[in-house]
């Protein structure tokens, strides 16, 4: 019998037009509390820098805040960009979180800087060298969390023995290779780079080496989900998502924009090159009412063979976003009834 698919939430803490960081953080808290009450498994936050309209730059601080405002949901990073940091410091921080919120903290690790190259250099002048050391630094983190590290000359107090689960995050084959070699769970960023997702999952499963952390492969796909009462309403809401990627491709820094009336008109107004990139980045998106999403997500889960599903929903209106979260959970519950 197949195991039911858990659903989790990636929140990018994007500041909407005419809002600010303070309001966004409160919305993030409310979103996490709703997800907690609905039975979502995880609530992850991502590390980004030098982005005026993203409120999760101090990711560890925000994770602690969300964990303090929720009861059961696992809270973590999707992800911490490890080349930006010393493994010792990350172990100390997440070890502390693991003690404060036992069995509720996840540590998802990424290799990218989470920003532009100039800012990456400002964060860490040797960023490129550290990105090449990513596998070694993941191993260092594992050592710091291990009880066996008590004999080492450098120790991460109070991280030892906290057993904070480490996930490898990625959007390419390199991350799949590392996760497989280290016997760690693997999450793919299908919400913005879905092109290699299925291939990466297959490589990871085929090359997975059991470890003390995991005896068999464990995959999670992150995708965009925009849910509403009707397909048309969901499509209109999705225009904020498409505008977000348009601004990203064009390097136009704007807060999350309100929806427009027509997705077709929005896309037709783009240049051919921009439209191509936006379509590529949004290919991992599921938009529609409960019936449409049930059909499409069921097909995706069966095809990708993922063990968990994580969604992100860049929706302008708080009310519409909370409603989308409820519908998405109903969809997954419905799919799981027939597992």
């Amino acid at each position: 019998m197949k195991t039911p698919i858990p659903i989790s939430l990636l929140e990018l803490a994007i500041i909407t037009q005419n809002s600010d960081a303070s309001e966004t953080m409160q919305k993030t808290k409310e979103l996490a509390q709703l997800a907690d009450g609905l039975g979502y498994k995880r609530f992850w936050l991502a590390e980004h820098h030098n982005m005026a309209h993203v409120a999760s730059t101090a990711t560890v601080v925000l994770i602690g805040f969300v964990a303090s405002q929720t009861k059961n949901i696992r809270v973590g990073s999707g992800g911490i960009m490890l080349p930006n940091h010393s493994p010792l410091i990350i172990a100390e921080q997440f070890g502390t979180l693991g003690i404060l919120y036992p069995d509720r903290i996840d540590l998802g690790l990424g290799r990218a800087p989470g920003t532009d190259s100039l800012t990456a250099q400002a964060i860490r002048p040797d960023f490129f060298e550290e990105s090449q050391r990513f596998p070694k630094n993941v191993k260092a983190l594992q050592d710091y969390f291990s009880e066996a590290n008590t004999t080492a000359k450098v120790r991460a107090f109070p991280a030892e023995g906290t057993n904070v689960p480490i996930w490898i995050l990625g959007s390419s084959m390199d991350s799949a290779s590392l996760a497989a070699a280290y016997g760690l769970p693997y999450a793919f960023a299908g919400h913005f780079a879905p092109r290699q997702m299925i291939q990466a999952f297959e490589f990871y499963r085929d090359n997975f080496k059991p470890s003390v952390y995991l005896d068999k492969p464990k995959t999670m796909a992150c995708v965009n989900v925009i849910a509403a009462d009707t397909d048309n309403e969901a499509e209109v809401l999705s225009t904020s998502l498409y505008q977000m990627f348009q601004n990203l491709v064009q390097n136009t820094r704007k807060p999350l924009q309100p929806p427009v009336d027509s997705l077709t008109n929005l896309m037709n107004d783009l240049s051919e090159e921009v439209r191509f990139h936006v379509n590529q980045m949004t290919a991992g998106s599921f938009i529609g009412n409960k019936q449409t999403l049930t059909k499409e997500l069921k097909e995706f889960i069966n095809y990708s063979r993922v063990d968990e599903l994580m969604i992100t929903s860049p929706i302008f209106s708080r009310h519409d976003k909370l409603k989308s979260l409820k519908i998405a959970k109903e969809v997954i519950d419905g799919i799981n009834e027939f597992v």
Side-chain angles (χ1 to χ4, degrees):
M1 184 176 180
K2 192 175 179 181
T3 305
I5 297 287
I7 184 171
S8 299
L9 185 64
L10 172 68
E11 175 52 27
L12 301 176
I14 301 170
I15 300 172
T16 58
Q17 182 175 282
N18 300 323
S19 186
D20 56 27
S22 176
E23 185 178 12
T24 301
M25 290 176 188
Q26 291 305 310
K27 289 178 181 178
T28 298
K29 177 192 76 173
E30 293 171 7
L31 194 67
Q33 289 173 334
L34 177 62
D36 192 17
L38 290 172
Y40 276 68
K41 185 171 184 177
R42 310 177 196 277
F43 187 96
W44 283 6
L45 294 149
E47 177 185 350
H48 293 289
H49 300 284
N50 196 30
M51 296 183 183
H53 309 296
V54 174
S56 60
T57 52
T59 319
V60 176
V61 177
L62 205 52
I63 288 170
F65 170 63
V66 169
S68 74
Q69 301 297 309
T70 50
K71 296 179 180 179
N72 300 306
I73 197 167
R74 299 189 65 89
V75 186
S77 58
I80 289 292
M81 302 296 105
L82 189 55
N84 291 341
H85 309 278
S86 155
L88 174 65
I89 298 300
I90 295 300
E92 290 172 342
Q93 292 174 341
F94 276 81
T96 300
L97 288 170
I99 290 170
L100 291 171
Y101 309 102
D103 199 32
R104 287 189 56 212
I105 301 299
D106 295 326
L107 175 52
L109 298 173
R111 184 183 226 143
T115 186
D116 57 272
S117 58
L118 189 63
T119 306
Q121 289 294 307
I123 294 170
R124 186 162 192 160
D126 60 345
F127 173 84
F128 178 76
E129 290 81 1
E130 283 303 309
S131 68
Q132 302 306 304
R133 297 188 190 104
F134 183 63
K136 291 183 179 179
N137 286 338
V138 172
K139 179 63 169 61
L141 258 176
Q142 292 175 316
D143 290 342
Y144 285 133
F145 281 124
S146 170
E147 290 180 345
N149 202 55
T150 54
T151 59
K153 291 184 178 180
V154 177
R155 299 171 62 184
F157 300 106
E160 289 172 6
T162 51
N163 296 316
V164 174
I166 292 176
W167 287 72
I168 299 299
L169 315 182
S171 57
S172 70
M173 300 303 294
D174 288 345
S175 54
S177 179
L178 177 63
Y182 278 33
L184 291 172
Y186 179 49
F188 197 94
H191 61 296
F192 72 86
R195 188 169 61 88
Q196 290 186 310
M197 179 162 52
I198 302 303
Q199 182 184 2
F201 283 149
E202 290 176 353
F203 181 91
Y204 167 75
R205 293 189 194 100
D206 290 343
N207 294 276
F208 180 84
K209 296 180 180 178
S211 68
V212 297
Y213 309 101
L214 207 58
D215 60 356
K216 61 182 181 179
K218 185 175 185 178
T219 56
M220 178 161 62
C222 185
V223 297
N224 299 301
V225 171
I226 309 289
D229 289 331
T230 68
D231 285 349
N232 183 67
E233 183 183 355
E235 183 176 291
V236 169
L237 295 178
S238 77
T239 60
S240 295
L241 166 72
Y242 280 86
Q243 289 177 83
M244 181 182 78
F245 282 112
Q246 173 193 349
N247 291 329
L248 186 62
V249 171
Q250 295 176 323
N251 196 27
T252 306
R253 303 195 176 201
K254 291 182 179 180
L256 189 67
Q257 298 294 293
V260 296
D261 292 337
S262 170
L263 178 59
T264 301
N265 291 344
L266 173 67
M267 296 300 287
N268 286 342
D269 287 342
L270 303 179
S271 70
E272 185 175 345
E273 181 183 5
V274 172
R275 183 164 58 248
F276 171 80
H277 289 298
V278 170
N279 281 331
Q280 274 207 325
M281 297 176 80
T282 56
S285 302
F286 299 86
I287 299 161
N289 64 13
K290 187 175 179 180
Q291 291 72 30
T292 298
L293 291 176
T294 297
K295 177 179 180 295
E296 293 183 356
L297 284 174
K298 185 176 181 179
E299 290 175 353
F300 171 74
I301 290 167
N302 289 337
Y303 176 62
S304 64
R305 296 189 290 138
V306 290
D307 300 298
E308 296 191 22
L309 185 72
M310 178 168 277
I311 68 169
T312 185
S313 304
I315 296 173
F316 182 80
S317 158
R318 172 184 170 276
H319 170 79
D320 291 332
K321 185 165 183 168
L322 297 179
K323 186 174 182 178
S324 179
L325 200 67
K326 293 176 183 176
I327 295 173
K329 182 61 166 63
E330 291 172 1
V331 166
I332 296 301
D333 287 345
I335 291 172
N336 284 332
E337 283 181 13
F338 297 97
V339 168

